[in-house]
């Protein structure tokens, strides 16, 4: 009897061990996010689970205790004096199309929303320079956010064509004679109709000398890559005006993006910034001024602190050894050693301005500028590297911080959910209607706005 019991116990232990092994093997299949230290936007539980610590404790304590004067807050929200700028889209004479198009221009745009937006402006300008017909630009699948949104998913296509109808001939697709000219066609070999050599900031003359001959020979030319492939300097004034017309008049978002953006703006402006608890610190007349200056106003903050940006530097972001190892592994796999660890220490990198600002540091910067804890802050960013833990200090400084998820319902977000470019479009729209826009670092969003 004892022998049988021992055998049964051994079998039971063996079964348990086998079950445990199978469970460990299958767990990544059912919960892949737990085992992805190289995930772009959010950290893996088993590689970066240590919450980042506050890195500037004394500055944080000082910012939380600081009383901001009415004069400083008023100056922050006051509009700038007139700078003498005039609308760039005004034209000295009515535009006119050339009698005959010289062929079809195709461009393939990569990058995020703002890079695509600038690329569209350049594509229209190049078509005008060459007297060519522009095929609606093709958007590459975004390599960072894996977004496959097309031009029509983001922008009102009919409005785009209508606004530019007297400037440039635009078609949705090339005619049947050129149906072979597709992204797949150019991906499978060297093609005489593809222009790969356009330099960064190419001049108008470069396009006339290098692309026009291809148009004359084949009737169509595909320019890829096309990002930043047209100069901003020494272009004819009518081409510069056309660029502005594309950006400020022709490119408008599809209705559901505008509707969602308007809903967010309305909800941000609905709540007064100044409450009774804060009013007791100021005389009655100063409180009235403060309420008048700040009621219903909001700041848009574009953090731009994603995993790609963090991995591009060798800086310490407060996540400890686990975070450093995860970023090093991510950097090695994604860029195959092209981005190396710096020879400088974290202190040296920061003193040289080579570290992207963390959400904590941006919060301290805003506090130093004079924004207080009743400032309504809208976060216009994709997922922040480190998630909610990374945002904890910023939230402590600015408890009225909002984003898309906190202001709109799941049903309202349904049309843009999972589409990084559409979500960025909503943020862009809200940013354009904000009282103050602040970018954590220069980039395409900063330049576009």
């Amino acid at each position: 009897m004892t022998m049988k019991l021992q055998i049964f116990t051994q079998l039971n232990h063996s079964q348990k061990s086998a079950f445990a092994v199978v469970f460990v093997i299958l767990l990544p299949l059912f919960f892949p996010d737990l085992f992805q230290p190289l995930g772009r936007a959010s950290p893996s539980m088993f590689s970066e689970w240590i919450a980042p610590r506050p890195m500037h404790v004394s500055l944080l304590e000082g910012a939380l205790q600081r009383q901001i004067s009415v004069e400083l807050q008023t100056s922050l929200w006051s509009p700038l004096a007139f700078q003498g700028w005039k609308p760039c889209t005004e034209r000295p004479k009515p535009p006119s199309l050339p009698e005959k198009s010289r062929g079809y221009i195709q461009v393939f745009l990569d990058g995020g929303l703002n890079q695509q937006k600038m690329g569209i402006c350049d594509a229209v300008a190049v078509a005008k320079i060459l007297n060519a017909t522009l095929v609606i630009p093709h958007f590459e699948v975004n390599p960072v956010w894996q977004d496959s949104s097309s031009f029509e998913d983001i922008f009102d296509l009919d409005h785009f064509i209508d606004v530019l109808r007297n400037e440039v001939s635009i078609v949705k697709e090339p005619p049947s004679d050129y149906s072979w000219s597709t992204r797949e066609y150019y991906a499978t070999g060297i093609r005489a109709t593809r222009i790969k050599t356009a330099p960064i900031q190419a001049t108008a003359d470069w396009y006339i000398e290098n692309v026009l001959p291809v148009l004359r020979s084949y009737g169509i030319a595909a320019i890829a890559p096309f990002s930043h492939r047209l100069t901003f300097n020494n272009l004819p004034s009518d081409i510069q005006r056309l660029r502005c017309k594309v950006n400020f008049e022709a490119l408008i978002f599809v209705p559901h993006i505008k509707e969602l953006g308007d809903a967010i703006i309305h909800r941000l402006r609905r709540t007064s910034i100044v409450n009774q608890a804060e009013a007791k610190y100021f005389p009655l007349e100063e409180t009235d001024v403060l309420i008048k200056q700040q009621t219903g106003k909001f700041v848009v903050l574009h953090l731009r602190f994603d995993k790609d940006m963090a991995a591009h530097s060798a800086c310490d972001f407060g996540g400890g050894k686990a975070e450093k190892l995860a970023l090093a592994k991510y950097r090695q796999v994604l860029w195959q050693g092209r981005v190396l660890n710096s020879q400088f220490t974290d202190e040296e990198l920061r003193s040289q301005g080579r570290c992207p600002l963390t959400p904590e540091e941006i919060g301290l910067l805003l506090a130093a500028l004079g924004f207080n804890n009743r400032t309504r802050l809208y976060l216009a960013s994709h997922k922040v590297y480190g998630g909610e833990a990374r945002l904890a200090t910023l939230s402590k400084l600015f408890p009225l911080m909002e984003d898309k998820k906190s202001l709109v319902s799941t049903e309202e977000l349904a049309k843009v959910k999972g589409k990084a470019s559409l979500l960025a479009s909503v943020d862009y729209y809200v940013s354009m209607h904000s009282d103050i826009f602040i970018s954590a670092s220069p980039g395409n969003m900063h330049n576009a706005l």
Side-chain angles (χ1 to χ4, degrees):
M1 183 69 179
T2 303
M3 180 71 72
K4 289 180 180 179
L5 183 61
Q6 289 176 343
I7 293 172
F8 176 77
T9 303
Q10 289 174 355
L11 288 173
N12 198 16
H13 286 163
S14 299
Q15 289 172 342
K16 287 180 179 178
S17 298
F19 176 78
V21 171
V22 171
F23 177 77
V24 169
I25 292 173
L26 294 179
L27 188 60
L29 299 178
F30 293 103
F31 303 99
D33 290 342
L34 301 183
F35 294 87
Q36 291 182 353
L38 305 181
R40 286 184 175 270
S42 57
S44 157
M45 180 179 292
F46 294 131
S47 65
E48 301 156 272
W49 58 270
I50 301 174
R53 67 187 188 280
M55 300 179 69
H56 311 282
V57 177
S58 60
L59 291 176
L60 176 60
E61 292 174 353
L64 291 171
Q65 295 171 8
R66 184 185 181 195
Q67 292 295 327
I68 310 298
S69 69
V70 171
E71 291 78 13
L72 180 54
Q73 291 185 53
T74 300
S75 67
L76 281 172
W77 295 99
S78 298
L80 291 174
F82 178 62
Q83 304 292 307
W85 297 98
K86 297 179 181 179
C88 60
T89 55
E90 294 179 357
R91 301 186 63 89
K93 59 182 179 179
S96 60
L97 283 172
E99 292 183 4
K100 184 178 180 181
S101 170
R102 289 170 167 168
Y104 294 89
I105 290 291
Q106 291 178 293
V107 296
F108 303 97
L109 303 178
D110 56 9
L113 170 73
N114 300 295
Q115 197 166 344
Q116 291 168 342
K117 208 165 180 280
M118 288 185 280
I120 294 167
C121 297
D122 288 350
V124 173
V126 167
K128 183 72 172 180
I129 290 167
L130 297 175
N131 286 337
T133 298
L134 176 67
V135 180
I136 290 296
H138 172 85
F139 291 178
E140 303 278 21
V141 175
N142 191 295
V144 176
W145 308 119
Q146 295 299 310
D147 189 349
S148 58
S149 299
S150 67
F151 187 105
E152 290 182 82
D153 292 330
I154 303 170
F155 302 108
D156 186 325
L157 179 54
D158 292 332
H159 175 85
F160 178 77
I161 293 175
D162 183 60
V163 168
L164 299 173
R165 66 184 184 279
N166 293 324
E167 302 272 7
V168 175
S169 177
I170 301 174
V171 295
K172 297 180 181 180
E173 300 285 347
S176 57
D177 290 349
Y178 302 105
S179 60
W180 48 266
S181 185
T182 64
R183 186 67 185 88
E184 292 72 25
Y185 171 76
Y186 294 110
T188 55
I190 298 173
R191 310 296 183 185
T193 51
R194 179 182 176 184
I195 310 298
K196 296 180 65 175
T197 56
I200 300 293
Q201 304 297 326
T203 64
D205 287 341
W206 188 93
Y207 282 95
I208 292 171
E209 294 168 6
N210 294 275
V211 180
L212 189 55
V214 177
L215 284 178
R216 286 173 172 161
S217 297
Y218 300 96
I220 194 167
I223 309 172
F226 190 67
S227 178
H228 305 293
R229 265 17 189 228
L230 181 63
T231 184
F232 281 98
N233 300 318
N234 301 318
L235 283 178
S237 60
D238 62 322
I239 299 298
Q240 298 285 38
R241 289 193 189 97
L242 176 58
R243 245 180 177 162
C244 291
K245 186 172 184 177
V246 178
N247 189 48
F248 296 113
E249 295 180 19
L251 286 175
I252 65 171
F253 295 120
V254 292
H256 62 264
I257 289 177
K258 295 174 65 177
E259 289 167 7
L260 186 56
D262 285 333
I264 290 172
I265 294 164
H266 173 72
R267 291 162 197 175
L268 284 166
R269 295 201 185 281
R270 187 171 54 189
T271 305
S272 173
I273 290 179
V274 179
N275 62 14
Q276 293 298 318
E278 191 176 31
K280 68 182 181 180
Y281 294 108
F282 306 108
L284 181 60
E285 62 274 11
E286 289 190 357
T287 301
D288 290 340
V289 172
L290 191 59
I291 291 173
K292 186 177 181 180
Q293 287 287 335
Q294 298 189 39
T295 296
K297 296 184 179 180
F298 66 95
V299 175
V300 168
L301 172 62
H302 186 231
L303 277 178
R304 203 164 177 248
F305 190 80
D306 53 42
K307 194 164 188 175
D308 281 349
M309 177 164 278
H312 259 294
S313 73
C315 304
D316 179 14
F317 300 111
K321 186 177 180 180
E323 182 175 88
K324 287 184 176 181
L325 290 173
L327 288 176
K329 187 182 295 184
Y330 176 85
R331 189 184 301 123
Q332 181 62 35
V333 171
L334 193 64
W335 295 298
Q336 289 81 44
R338 285 174 290 173
V339 178
L340 302 175
N341 284 322
S342 174
Q343 300 177 34
F344 299 101
T345 65
D346 181 70
E347 289 75 14
E348 289 171 331
L349 288 171
R350 288 184 179 281
S351 68
Q352 297 168 18
R354 295 171 64 182
C355 295
L357 293 176
T358 65
E360 175 191 356
E361 290 164 340
I362 285 294
L364 292 170
L365 172 62
L366 295 181
L369 287 171
F371 294 100
N372 62 13
N373 65 356
R374 299 305 299 169
T375 300
R376 188 159 290 276
L377 197 65
Y378 177 79
L379 205 59
S381 294
H382 202 67
K383 291 180 180 178
V384 174
Y385 176 58
E388 293 300 322
R390 184 79 65 190
L391 293 170
T393 302
L394 180 62
S395 299
K396 192 173 183 179
L397 286 166
F398 297 96
L400 298 183
M401 186 170 68
E402 308 278 6
D403 59 15
K404 291 178 287 293
K405 290 183 180 179
S406 68
L407 288 169
V408 297
S409 66
T410 303
E411 291 74 21
E412 289 174 305
L413 276 174
K415 287 186 177 181
V416 298
K417 184 179 180 182
K419 296 286 188 179
S421 291
L422 299 186
L423 292 167
S425 301
V426 174
D427 284 340
Y428 185 95
Y429 185 83
V430 174
S431 299
M432 287 297 295
H433 290 81
S434 66
D435 300 283
I436 298 171
F437 173 78
I438 296 174
S439 180
S441 60
N444 289 319
M445 180 79 157
H446 170 90
N447 293 334
L449 282 162

